[in-house]
Coordinates of all heavy atoms in Angstrom, one line a residue:
Q1355 N -2.8 -0.8 8.7 CA -4.1 -0.6 8.1 C -4.9 0.0 9.3 O -4.9 -0.5 10.5 CB -4.8 -1.8 7.6 CG -6.1 -1.6 7.1 CD -6.7 -2.8 6.3 OE1 -6.0 -3.8 6.2 NE2 -7.9 -2.7 5.8
V1356 N -5.7 1.0 8.9 CA -6.7 1.6 9.9 C -8.1 1.3 9.4 O -8.4 1.6 8.2 CB -6.5 3.2 10.0 CG1 -7.4 3.7 11.1 CG2 -5.0 3.5 10.3
S1357 N -8.9 0.8 10.3 CA -10.3 0.5 9.9 C -11.2 1.0 11.0 O -10.8 1.2 12.1 CB -10.6 -0.9 9.5 OG -10.1 -1.8 10.5
W1358 N -12.4 1.3 10.6 CA -13.3 1.9 11.6 C -14.8 1.5 11.3 O -15.1 1.0 10.3 CB -13.2 3.5 11.6 CG -13.4 4.1 10.2 CD1 -14.6 4.4 9.6 CD2 -12.4 4.3 9.2 NE1 -14.4 4.9 8.3 CE2 -13.0 4.8 8.1 CE3 -10.9 4.1 9.3 CZ2 -12.3 5.2 7.0 CZ3 -10.3 4.6 8.1 CH2 -10.9 5.1 7.0
A1359 N -15.6 1.6 12.3 CA -17.0 1.3 12.2 C -17.8 2.2 13.1 O -17.2 2.8 14.0 CB -17.2 -0.1 12.7
P1360 N -19.1 2.4 12.9 CA -19.8 2.0 11.7 C -19.6 2.9 10.6 O -19.0 4.0 10.7 CB -21.3 2.1 12.3 CG -21.2 3.3 13.2 CD -19.9 3.3 13.9
V1361 N -20.0 2.5 9.4 CA -20.0 3.4 8.2 C -21.4 3.9 8.1 O -22.4 3.2 8.1 CB -19.5 2.6 7.0 CG1 -19.8 3.5 5.7 CG2 -18.1 2.2 7.1
L1362 N -21.6 5.2 7.9 CA -22.9 5.9 8.0 C -23.2 6.6 6.7 O -22.3 7.3 6.2 CB -23.0 6.8 9.2 CG -22.8 6.1 10.5 CD1 -22.4 7.1 11.6 CD2 -24.0 5.3 10.9
D1363 N -24.5 6.7 6.3 CA -24.8 7.4 5.1 C -24.6 8.9 5.3 O -24.5 9.7 4.4 CB -26.3 7.2 4.8 CG -26.6 5.8 4.3 OD1 -25.6 5.1 3.9 OD2 -27.7 5.3 4.4
S1364 N -24.7 9.3 6.5 CA -24.6 10.8 6.8 C -23.2 11.3 6.8 O -23.0 12.5 6.9 CB -25.3 11.1 8.2 OG -24.7 10.3 9.2
V1365 N -22.2 10.4 6.5 CA -20.8 10.9 6.5 C -20.4 11.2 5.1 O -20.6 10.4 4.2 CB -19.9 9.8 7.1 CG1 -18.4 10.3 7.0 CG2 -20.2 9.6 8.6
A1366 N -19.9 12.3 4.9 CA -19.4 12.7 3.5 C -18.0 12.1 3.3 O -17.7 11.5 2.3 CB -19.4 14.3 3.4
T1367 N -17.0 12.5 4.2 CA -15.7 11.9 4.1 C -15.2 11.6 5.5 O -15.7 12.2 6.5 CB -14.7 13.0 3.4 OG1 -14.8 14.2 4.2 CG2 -15.0 13.2 2.0
Y1368 N -14.1 10.7 5.5 CA -13.4 10.5 6.8 C -12.0 11.1 6.6 O -11.5 11.0 5.4 CB -13.3 9.0 7.0 CG -14.5 8.3 7.4 CD1 -15.3 7.6 6.4 CD2 -15.0 8.3 8.7 CE1 -16.4 7.0 6.8 CE2 -16.2 7.7 9.0 CZ -16.9 7.0 8.1 OH -18.1 6.4 8.4
Q1369 N -11.5 11.7 7.6 CA -10.1 12.1 7.6 C -9.4 11.3 8.6 O -9.8 11.1 9.7 CB -10.0 13.6 8.1 CG -10.2 14.6 7.0 CD -10.0 16.0 7.4 OE1 -9.9 16.3 8.6 NE2 -10.0 16.9 6.5
V1370 N -8.2 10.7 8.1 CA -7.4 10.0 9.0 C -6.2 10.8 9.3 O -5.4 11.1 8.3 CB -7.0 8.6 8.3 CG1 -6.1 7.9 9.2 CG2 -8.3 7.8 8.0
L1371 N -5.9 11.3 10.5 CA -4.7 12.0 10.8 C -3.8 11.1 11.6 O -4.3 10.3 12.4 CB -5.2 13.1 11.8 CG -5.8 14.3 11.2 CD1 -7.3 14.1 10.9 CD2 -5.8 15.5 12.2
Y1372 N -2.5 11.2 11.3 CA -1.6 10.4 12.0 C -0.3 11.0 12.1 O 0.1 11.9 11.3 CB -1.4 9.0 11.2 CG -0.9 9.1 9.9 CD1 0.4 8.9 9.6 CD2 -1.7 9.4 8.8 CE1 0.9 9.1 8.2 CE2 -1.3 9.5 7.5 CZ 0.1 9.4 7.3 OH 0.5 9.5 6.0
G1373 N 0.4 10.8 13.3 CA 1.7 11.3 13.5 C 2.4 10.6 14.6 O 1.7 10.0 15.4
P1374 N 3.7 10.6 14.6 CA 4.5 9.9 15.7 C 4.3 10.6 17.0 O 4.1 11.8 17.2 CB 5.9 10.0 15.2 CG 6.0 11.2 14.2 CD 4.6 11.3 13.7
L1375 N 4.3 9.7 18.1 CA 4.3 10.2 19.4 C 5.7 10.0 20.0 O 6.3 8.9 19.8 CB 3.3 9.3 20.2 CG 1.9 9.6 20.0 CD1 1.1 8.5 20.8 CD2 1.4 11.0 20.5
P1376 N 6.2 10.9 20.8 CA 5.7 12.3 20.9 C 6.1 13.1 19.6 O 6.9 12.7 19.0 CB 6.5 12.8 22.1 CG 7.7 12.1 22.1 CD 7.5 10.7 21.5
G1377 N 5.4 14.2 19.5 CA 5.7 14.9 18.3 C 4.5 15.6 17.8 O 3.5 15.4 18.2
N1378 N 4.6 16.6 16.9 CA 3.5 17.2 16.4 C 3.4 17.4 14.9 O 2.8 18.2 14.3 CB 3.4 18.7 17.0 CG 4.8 19.4 16.8 OD1 5.6 18.9 16.1 ND2 4.9 20.5 17.5
S1379 N 4.2 16.4 14.2 CA 4.1 16.5 12.7 C 3.0 15.4 12.4 O 3.0 14.3 12.6 CB 5.4 16.0 12.1 OG 5.6 14.6 12.5
V1380 N 1.9 16.0 11.9 CA 0.6 15.2 11.5 C 0.4 15.2 10.1 O 0.5 16.3 9.5 CB -0.5 15.8 12.4 CG1 -1.9 15.1 11.9 CG2 -0.4 15.7 13.8
K1381 N 0.1 14.0 9.5 CA -0.3 14.0 8.1 C -1.8 13.6 8.1 O -2.3 13.0 9.0 CB 0.5 12.9 7.4 CG 2.0 13.3 7.3 CD 2.7 12.4 6.3 CE 4.1 12.9 6.0 NZ 5.2 12.1 6.6
V1382 N -2.4 14.0 7.0 CA -3.8 13.8 6.8 C -4.1 13.0 5.6 O -3.6 13.2 4.5 CB -4.7 15.1 6.7 CG1 -6.1 14.8 6.6 CG2 -4.3 16.0 8.0
L1383 N -5.0 12.0 5.7 CA -5.5 11.2 4.5 C -7.0 11.5 4.5 O -7.7 11.3 5.4 CB -5.3 9.7 4.7 CG -3.9 9.1 4.5 CD1 -3.9 7.7 4.9 CD2 -3.5 9.2 3.0
E1384 N -7.5 11.8 3.2 CA -8.9 11.9 3.0 C -9.4 10.7 2.5 O -8.9 10.1 1.5 CB -9.2 13.0 2.0 CG -8.9 14.4 2.5 CD -10.2 15.1 3.1 OE1 -11.3 14.5 2.9 OE2 -10.0 16.1 3.8

């Protein structure tokens, strides 16, 4: 699980990018 703070009214969306290290295959969650 990934969680973050703070949550702000001025944010439209968060993008969570993740990929194995080392490496360059990155996936994105909106």
